[in-house]
Amino acid sequence: MDHQHVFVCGNPALDFAATLRARRSVRFEMFVTPDRLDAWYVECGLVDTITPADKGDVEQAKALREAIYELVTARRLGQEYGGEALTVLNGVARKPSTSPQLTPTGRQTEATPDQALSTVARHAVELLSGPDVPLMKECGNPECTRVYVDRSRGMRRQWCGMESCGNKIKAAAYRARKKSAPTVAAR
């Protein structure tokens, strides 16, 4: 399976919220088909195998994703939670979640799309009620709308990830400096 999803946020719920990218500008949707949603659950490591999702599962996943993003943004900005977003999150979190099984070769987690989604919702509940709340930051790239958990020393991390945003910003800043640097005339 070729990996098309990126996991840089430090929490599955934040990575899930980031599957709608560049929300302030182009809005790039990662869950375009049910198989992209299935791939996310497997690539994230929440499940080993999943019953294939359908269009309805994708719509439910998008609804949960938007609720998580809204709640994370509210918590980050010190605002009240929206009632509808809370209802969506708690409704999904109430459903049965994934349950890992021990096999002779190690752990195996099989799930339905509903169970996988519930697991994401429970991660969001834990995140938003836990010790990582003060560590949540939005990426410093103005085009990026990912929120991540900053566990760096002194909370100095600026970007969701060096590969995804840090290198782009640094390269752009370097080009801007080169362009504005006065040229030294040869004597």
Side-chain angles (χ1 to χ4, degrees), residues 17-175:
T19 59
L20 181 62
R21 307 251 304 280
R23 291 167 177 270
R24 287 187 286 270
S25 53
V26 292
R27 295 177 69 85
F28 187 76
E29 175 62 67
M30 299 302 288
F31 294 155
V32 283
T33 56
D35 63 311
R36 296 306 310 130
L37 176 62
D38 295 339
W40 189 91
Y41 291 132
V42 174
E43 289 173 28
C44 179
L46 288 182
V47 302
D48 297 301
T49 56
I50 188 153
T51 313
D54 60 28
K55 280 189 176 143
D57 296 315
V58 173
E59 291 314 307
Q60 281 187 309
K62 287 178 180 177
L64 176 66
R65 177 188 66 198
E66 295 315 297
I68 291 172
Y69 184 77
E70 184 186 316
L71 295 167
V72 163
T73 301
R75 178 47 45 111
R76 216 172 41 76
L77 301 177
Q79 298 168 349
E80 295 273 316
Y81 286 143
E84 196 177 323
L86 276 178
T87 301
V88 170
L89 175 67
N90 289 327
V92 177
R94 251 184 232 110
K95 293 180 180 176
S97 63
T98 59
S99 43
Q101 303 290 299
L102 188 64
T103 71
T105 55
R107 191 181 79 173
Q108 179 72 20
T109 305
E110 297 173 6
T112 63
D114 274 354
Q115 290 171 322
L117 196 62
S118 176
T119 301
V120 171
R122 290 173 186 213
H123 275 286
V125 170
E126 291 301 316
L127 172 70
L128 291 168
S129 62
D132 287 343
V133 167
L135 307 181
M136 290 192 306
K137 280 165 98 171
E138 190 179 64
C139 181
N141 175 355
E143 285 295 299
C144 184
T145 50
R146 281 192 189 108
V147 175
Y148 61 91
V149 176
D150 184 359
R151 292 194 178 92
S152 67
R153 258 172 101 175
M155 280 189 70
R156 286 208 179 91
R157 187 169 151 192
Q158 290 179 273
W159 301 289
C160 61
M162 275 312 287
E163 298 74 31
S164 37
C165 287
N167 288 336
K168 280 184 212 156
I169 299 293
K170 286 185 166 189
Y174 175 77
R175 285 192 301 275

